[in-house]
């Protein structure tokens, strides 16, 4: 059973070495694909140095410029499918997602019968540490908005800590995924649900980054808001 953790990066020099070492040192083997969008701070160079001696488990895809979170994951999904991975994970580089939770997300699929599992901040209360109140409010209300508009029974639809089984990514037309920012997270979960896949939420504690800077912007929220309405009227061919 091959497992790949996809970590998109832009200017994560403070975190990338530590997050890669944390994932690679887990008792269960998880490979890593770092997708770097031309970070000027040397993030990709740091990954290349780490690859010495573990080239078979730590992989690097370098892209020229900031092309968007969604396009990074789509490129990573295609790479993972082409290299025979059975379970593919999304995870941030900044330790807001705890690498120790990766086996729990995997177990929700392999033992719990889910096709897609979500590391959820809101399925068991609000489990967010060191986020400004306004940011929590926006994130929490966004998930309520998605449930109301799309009817998806997920408490944390914008979560970026996710495990996909191979069959989910083989079924979804990855070239037809339209949202590029954090709306991408909503679109992928909604599309999987529309195709009849089982989604499961695994409660996790989300900790705001200690190093580096957030990539969130107002345009990302705007895309997600209007994109959700567009999803409501999209037709899916099964």
């Amino acid at each position: 059973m091959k497992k790949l953790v996809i970590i998109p990066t832009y200017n994560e020099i403070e975190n990338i070495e530590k997050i890669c070492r944390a994932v690679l040192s887990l008792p269960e083997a998880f490979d890593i694909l770092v997708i770097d969008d031309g970070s000027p701070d040397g993030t990709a160079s740091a990954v290349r140095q780490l690859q010495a001696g573990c080239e078979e488990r730590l992989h690097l895809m370098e892209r020229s410029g900031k092309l968007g979170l969604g396009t990074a994951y789509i490129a990573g999904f295609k790479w993972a499918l082409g290299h025979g991975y059975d379970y593919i994970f999304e995870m941030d580089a900044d330790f807001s997602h705890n690498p120790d939770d990766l086996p729990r997300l995997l177990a929700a699929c392999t033992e719990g019968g889910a096709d897609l599992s979500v590391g959820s901040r809101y399925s068991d209360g609000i489990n967010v540490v060191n986020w400004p109140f306004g940011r929590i409010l926006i994130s929490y209300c966004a998930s309520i908005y998605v449930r109301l508009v799309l009817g998806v029974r997920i408490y944390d639809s914008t979560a970026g800590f996710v495990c996909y089984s191979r069959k989910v990514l083989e079924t979804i037309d990855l070239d037809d995924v339209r949202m590029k920012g954090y709306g991408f997270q909503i679109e992928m979960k909604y599309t999987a649900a529309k195709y009849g896949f089982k989604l499961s939420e695994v409660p996790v504690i989300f900790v705001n980054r200690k190093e580096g800077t957030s990539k969130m912007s107002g345009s990302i929220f705007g895309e997600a808001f209007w994109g959700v309405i567009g999803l409501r009227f999209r037709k899916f061919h099964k």
Side-chain angles (χ1 to χ4, degrees):
M1 185 171 60
K2 296 180 65 178
K3 307 173 291 294
L4 181 73
V5 180
I6 301 174
I7 305 177
T9 57
Y10 183 77
N11 285 349
E12 291 290 354
I13 191 63
E14 299 94 344
N15 296 303
I16 192 60
E17 180 176 351
K18 288 179 284 188
I19 195 70
C20 287
R21 290 190 185 280
V23 173
L24 293 174
S25 65
L26 291 171
E28 189 166 357
F30 292 83
D31 294 351
I32 300 172
L33 172 64
V34 175
I35 303 179
D36 186 70
D37 274 6
S39 298
D41 69 350
T43 298
S45 296
V47 175
R48 284 195 293 272
Q49 292 179 20
L50 279 174
Q51 283 181 307
C54 60
E55 294 91 343
E56 294 184 357
R57 294 191 56 200
L58 176 58
H59 309 279
L60 174 65
M61 180 186 297
E62 295 184 72
R63 308 196 305 170
S64 56
K66 296 180 69 175
L67 302 176
L69 180 75
T71 66
Y73 275 127
I74 294 298
F77 294 159
K78 291 180 177 180
W79 190 94
L81 294 176
H83 287 79
Y85 284 92
D86 303 294
Y87 291 94
I88 300 95
F89 298 76
E90 299 177 1
M91 193 174 77
D92 291 346
D94 59 8
F95 283 94
S96 55
H97 304 142
N98 187 343
D100 290 339
D101 287 326
L102 286 168
R104 298 176 58 227
L105 266 64
L106 178 66
C109 294
T110 58
E111 300 173 18
D115 301 300
L116 184 159
S117 62
V118 179
S120 178
R121 298 164 289 187
Y122 307 128
S123 63
D124 185 23
I126 298 177
N127 294 309
V128 178
V129 177
N130 294 333
W131 244 14
F133 176 76
R135 184 79 179 271
I136 295 174
L137 186 64
I138 290 172
S139 174
Y140 187 75
C141 289
S143 287
I144 294 175
Y145 169 69
V146 170
R147 290 202 303 274
L148 290 174
V149 175
L150 299 180
V152 179
R153 296 179 181 179
I154 291 290
Y155 286 95
D156 194 357
S157 55
T158 63
F161 196 20
V162 184
C163 172
Y164 296 90
S165 64
R166 181 183 181 89
K167 61 184 176 182
V168 173
L169 298 181
E170 287 179 327
T171 302
I172 293 175
D173 183 355
L174 297 176
D175 291 324
D176 193 42
V177 177
R178 301 174 189 180
M179 287 194 263
K180 308 301 181 187
Y182 283 81
F184 164 84
Q185 304 293 1
I186 301 168
E187 183 174 356
M188 287 296 293
K189 296 177 184 68
Y190 177 66
T191 305
K194 291 294 288 185
Y195 278 111
F197 289 110
K198 180 181 177 181
L199 280 62
S200 175
E201 290 187 271
V202 177
V204 299
I205 297 175
F206 179 94
V207 181
N208 192 29
R209 67 163 62 234
K210 295 180 180 179
E211 297 182 278
T213 58
S214 173
K215 313 305 185 294
M216 184 63 70
S217 68
S219 63
I220 288 174
F221 283 114
E223 181 206 45
F225 179 86
W226 295 110
V228 166
I229 295 175
L231 282 174
R232 179 67 178 82
F233 297 100
R234 188 185 303 181
K235 294 182 179 179
F236 291 86
H237 303 284
K238 298 184 179 181

